[in-house]
Amino acid sequence: MHTLEKIKRYLPAHIELLAVSKKKSLDDILTLYHQGQRLFGENRTQELKEKQLKLPRDILWHFIGSLQRKNVKYIAPFIHLIQSVDSEQLLEKINQEAIKNNRIINVLIEIHIASEKTKHGFYPNELLTYLGQKKWMDYKNIKICGLMGMATNTDNQDKVKNEFQTLNQLFETVKKIYFTNNSDFKIISAGMSDDYQIAISQGSNMVRIGSALFEKENNI
Ligand SMILES: *Cc1c(COP(=O)(O)O)cnc(C)c1O
């Protein structure tokens, strides 16, 4: 059986699978595409732009990496969802580029739930303060579709579980205060190859899987 099918068997039906294709070749991506996969995620704007030009038009591309404001313009014309919005300035910039392209850009707000300082995102309190200022409500060309988080890279499963729980609770809080009657705010993007089962147990409804999906089949 193909790896994609294997992973899908573990995923409850309501969980979306983002195939993280960073550093993978066009052929590797096409293999999954021909098995029906349409959501792919990249973390570098140049690499994404080149792949987008060469691969089928109906792929829905997600951006999941650290995004510099000056690079938003490269992906603004086609990006389906930017998952890694980690600052007010970036959100403002994405709105500007969306206006230039005459489109609405879907985003997730990245939340810093891990202990590593090197990871990005708003801290939960920071997000609540920012949303309270309501400036984001003026960004008409952005649709905020939910939250994204990365857990600490550790073998301590309880810690990982707690971090995903924090993300889920923040999602519920934000939903209740700002997005009660807004069905667009619905995504909790959490879980990668090593921790997606824990993430799903804590309410994630979108997993981002790279290495486990692209492993060569004879290695399994
Ligand atoms: C690389 C990456 C993933 C996928 O990681 P794997 O361990 O290969 O599944 C998921 N999310 C983000 C933000 C990434 O950078």
Side-chain angles (χ1 to χ4, degrees), residues 3-4 7 17-22 24 32 40-41 64 191-194 196 207-216:
T3 310
L4 177 64
I7 288 180
L17 171 61
L18 178 73
V20 176
S21 52
K22 61 192 188 201
K24 302 300 173 207
L32 290 191
F40 288 90
I64 59 169
M192 323 199 312
S193 294
D194 289 336
Y196 71 91
V207 293
R208 308 179 308 270
I209 302 187
S211 41
L213 204 49
F214 286 95
E215 266 169 24
K216 297 293 174 230

Side-chain angles (χ1 to χ4, degrees), residues 35-164:
Q35 293 168 33
Q37 181 67 25
R38 290 296 179 271
L39 304 185
F40 288 90
E42 291 281 336
N43 68 347
R44 293 184 185 279
T45 49
Q46 280 304 330
E47 185 177 340
L48 171 53
K49 204 179 135 201
E50 284 165 28
K51 285 175 171 172
Q52 192 266 343
L53 276 173
K54 292 175 183 155
L55 286 164
R57 288 290 159 195
D58 61 341
I59 289 181
L60 300 174
W61 291 103
H62 290 203
F63 194 81
I64 59 169
S66 167
L67 180 56
Q68 294 191 303
R69 276 179 285 163
K70 65 177 163 51
N71 290 336
V72 174
K73 59 177 180 285
Y74 298 119
I75 60 171
F78 65 85
I79 197 73
H80 179 64
L81 177 65
I82 298 177
Q83 297 208 5
S84 43
V85 175
D86 59 0
S87 74
E88 309 175 21
Q89 295 83 358
L90 180 58
L91 198 63
E92 186 177 1
K93 182 70 181 175
I94 293 169
N95 187 56
Q96 286 167 4
E97 295 295 332
I99 291 169
K100 281 188 203 161
N101 285 278
N102 194 24
R103 62 189 296 255
I104 307 282
I105 296 184
N106 300 317
V107 302
L108 303 182
I109 307 289
E110 182 170 357
I111 307 300
H112 197 145
I113 49 172
S115 344
E116 295 111 341
K117 288 275 188 302
T118 48
K119 291 209 161 100
H120 294 259
F122 285 81
Y123 287 93
N125 284 337
E126 222 183 342
L127 179 67
L128 292 171
T129 304
Y130 173 62
L131 292 177
Q133 292 160 0
K134 309 210 167 154
K135 197 171 155 196
W136 56 279
M137 291 183 180
D138 296 333
Y139 299 153
K140 301 296 183 211
N141 286 57
I142 280 181
K143 197 182 276 177
I144 300 179
C145 301
L147 305 181
M148 183 269 244
M150 269 172 108
T152 303
N153 189 0
T154 170
D155 290 335
N156 182 342
Q157 303 220 337
D158 284 335
K159 181 171 170 58
V160 171
K161 189 172 156 185
N162 284 334
E163 291 173 356
F164 287 138

Side-chain angles (χ1 to χ4, degrees), residues 21 24-33 40 51 55:
S21 52
K24 302 300 173 207
S25 69
L26 299 178
D27 280 348
D28 283 344
I29 295 173
L30 278 172
T31 301
L32 290 191
Y33 177 86
F40 288 90
K51 285 175 171 172
L55 286 164

